[in-house]
Amino acid sequence: MSRAPVKKGSIPIRTGEDDDICPVCKSSRYLNQNMKFLINPECYHKMCESCVDRIFSSGPAPCPVAGCGRTLRKQRFRKQILKDIRIEREVDIRRRVNAVFNRRQEEFETLRDYNNYLEEVEILTFNLVNNTDVEETERKIAAYAAEHRSTISRNRSLAHEESVNINAEAEAQREHARLRRAEALREEEDERREREEGKRTMVERLASSKGNADAIVKEMEQAQTKRSSAKGERANIERMKEQARAAKDPFGTDNGSAGAGYKIKGLKKVNEPEPDQPYDPYGGVVLQREYYVLQDQYEHPWLDKAKTDPQITTGGYDVGEYCARAMFEAFSGLGCFIEDEIAARDVAVESGIATAAAAMAGGPE
């Protein structure tokens, strides 16, 4: 078979041949069909898996491609997903930039402000994709990530929750469709069984009855029509109820709760949660001394000796606790008024006696 002629001055196109040759060891996929190529997001130079294991197994090393020299690590090598390596690199850059600049439209006052923000992000992405002011662009991205670390983390969590809710909604819709198909098949099977049962019953009645055959057939058809109509009405009622439940809450939880199926549409204003207050064992009750003031030090020979006696202080005994307890016991009875308590007690006793006497007087004879 003759080869097609090549025009003078033109260069033959070698489709796919360069992609099947390792630039390091010059091995070709033509000779080794099981050859696998890997790329590193640091420089996106393609090389075979054998060269990656041979060069980078002992640790980081410079890229073996001539003119590169960037330090590469083995754990960052991965398979190429897209056919065009330039598109693969742009997708990775956009994913990395969007992971940092993940502001939501609800965080801006106007739509114009949000569009201006998107334009600035696109300018940074364009610079990285086209290798324009790379150092300045990387510096801006790093400064923004360090300054808005909490906002980036919060928006990432919101995006993850939205993704989980969307997946849950899609799964619920697929499950609902599967149940509808199963219900339709069951209804068809029931209808087929009822038709066969009706035909058998009609044949048995025609064989055993001596009446008019046309009247019997008409009666059986009317009964079958009534049963079908009643069944269709019940199915419509159940379908309407199911649609109402799905419209009220597609996930089976109350809207407004924080359940697993709650769908978040976006927050207009994000309020930072208040920090937890320290634990108060007295529940907010302030213990104030009303009749005395506890001093830090009291002059007494025994107290002075107890402060320096190893036999007392070794066990953890505190003279201040002794003074506080002694003062509390000394003044604890000043707030108690015995006369008032006795008067209140006598009033309560007299009221109880009068109630009992009234009950005895009004009782049956």
Side-chain angles (χ1 to χ4, degrees):
M1 183 175 180
S2 61
R3 183 176 299 176
V6 180
K7 295 181 180 180
K8 185 178 181 180
S10 63
I11 300 175
I13 300 175
R14 303 172 61 188
T15 304
E17 292 184 4
D18 295 338
D19 295 339
D20 294 340
I21 299 177
C22 178
V24 181
C25 63
K26 306 302 180 182
S27 300
S28 175
R29 195 189 297 272
Y30 179 78
L31 301 176
N32 185 6
Q33 297 295 332
N34 297 325
M35 178 181 293
K36 296 180 181 180
F37 289 94
L38 302 177
I39 61 173
N40 195 304
E42 188 67 26
C43 62
Y44 290 94
H45 286 141
K46 184 188 302 184
M47 61 191 70
C48 65
E49 191 175 11
S50 300
C51 291
V52 173
D53 294 337
R54 176 173 53 84
I55 299 174
F56 301 99
S57 294
S58 59
C63 179
V65 178
C68 181
R70 293 190 177 183
T71 303
L72 306 181
R73 290 171 172 81
K74 183 179 179 180
Q75 59 268 21
R76 296 203 63 187
F77 278 90
R78 58 178 175 83
K79 294 182 179 180
Q80 182 178 346
I81 299 175
L82 302 177
K83 185 176 182 180
D84 193 341
I85 194 65
R86 294 173 298 180
I87 300 178
E88 181 97 10
R89 175 174 173 271
E90 181 176 352
V91 170
D92 292 341
I93 291 174
R94 291 187 177 276
R95 184 183 296 112
R96 181 168 66 89
V97 174
N98 292 334
V100 177
F101 295 91
N102 57 355
R103 290 282 186 176
R104 305 162 65 88
Q105 183 177 353
E106 293 81 4
E107 300 181 39
F108 296 87
E109 296 181 356
T110 61
L111 180 59
R112 180 178 294 274
D113 296 336
Y114 180 62
N115 291 333
N116 293 336
Y117 164 77
L118 294 179
E119 184 177 0
E120 293 178 1
V121 174
E122 185 62 26
I123 292 174
L124 297 176
T125 305
F126 179 84
N127 292 341
L128 294 179
V129 171
N130 297 275
N131 294 324
T132 305
D133 297 335
V134 177
E135 295 182 359
E136 180 67 17
T137 303
E138 292 288 354
R139 186 187 62 79
K140 291 181 180 180
I141 295 176
Y144 180 87
E147 184 178 357
H148 302 86
R149 185 178 293 106
S150 59
T151 303
I152 294 172
S153 177
R154 184 185 67 239
N155 290 341
R156 186 183 295 115
S157 300
L158 292 176
H160 177 70
E161 292 178 3
E162 289 181 352
S163 177
V164 171
N165 291 332
I166 291 174
N167 295 334
E169 183 177 2
E171 182 65 25
Q173 291 177 355
R174 288 194 294 267
E175 180 66 17
H176 188 62
R178 186 188 66 80
L179 294 177
R180 287 201 306 267
R181 291 193 297 269
E183 183 65 22
L185 293 176
R186 188 164 51 252
E187 291 178 358
E188 292 179 0
E189 183 66 20
D190 294 342
E191 291 179 359
R192 185 186 63 79
R193 192 182 300 108
E194 289 180 359
R195 287 195 300 268
E196 293 178 356
E197 184 67 23
K199 291 179 181 179
R200 186 166 53 252
T201 305
M202 183 184 300
V203 172
E204 292 176 356
R205 288 192 59 182
L206 290 175
S208 61
S209 178
K210 298 180 180 180
N212 189 357
D214 294 337
I216 295 175
V217 172
K218 186 176 181 180
E219 180 182 354
M220 295 294 295
E221 290 179 352
Q222 291 178 354
Q224 181 67 23
T225 303
K226 289 182 180 179
R227 286 195 298 268
S228 299
S229 300
K231 188 175 181 179
E233 291 179 357
R234 290 195 300 269
N236 290 333
I237 293 174
E238 292 295 332
R239 191 177 297 107
M240 292 175 63
K241 290 181 179 179
E242 183 66 23
Q243 292 177 357
R245 286 194 296 267
K248 182 179 180 181
D249 189 357
F251 297 100
T253 57
D254 294 334
N255 290 332
S257 63
Y262 181 65
K263 186 177 181 180
I264 301 175
K265 296 182 179 180
L267 302 175
K268 292 295 182 181
K269 184 178 180 181
V270 179
N271 296 325
E272 296 293 338
E274 297 182 358
D276 296 336
Q277 299 296 331
Y279 174 72
D280 185 8
Y282 299 104
V285 178
V286 181
L287 301 179
Q288 296 181 351
R289 303 177 182 88
E290 186 177 358
Y291 301 104
Y292 65 96
V293 177
L294 184 63
Q295 299 180 4
D296 297 335
Q297 184 177 359
Y298 291 93
E299 295 181 0
H300 192 276
W302 184 87
L303 296 178
D304 296 338
K305 181 181 179 181
K307 292 179 181 180
T308 58
D309 191 354
Q311 297 180 357
I312 298 177
T313 58
T314 301
Y317 186 80
D318 188 7
V319 177
E321 295 181 359
Y322 166 76
C323 296
R325 186 175 68 253
M327 296 293 291
F328 175 78
E329 293 175 353
F331 289 90
S332 60
L334 294 181
C336 300
F337 301 96
I338 305 301
E339 294 80 3
D340 296 341
E341 294 181 1
I342 293 176
R345 183 189 61 187
D346 295 340
V347 171
V349 171
E350 293 177 357
S351 176
I353 295 174
T355 302
M360 293 178 62
E365 295 181 357

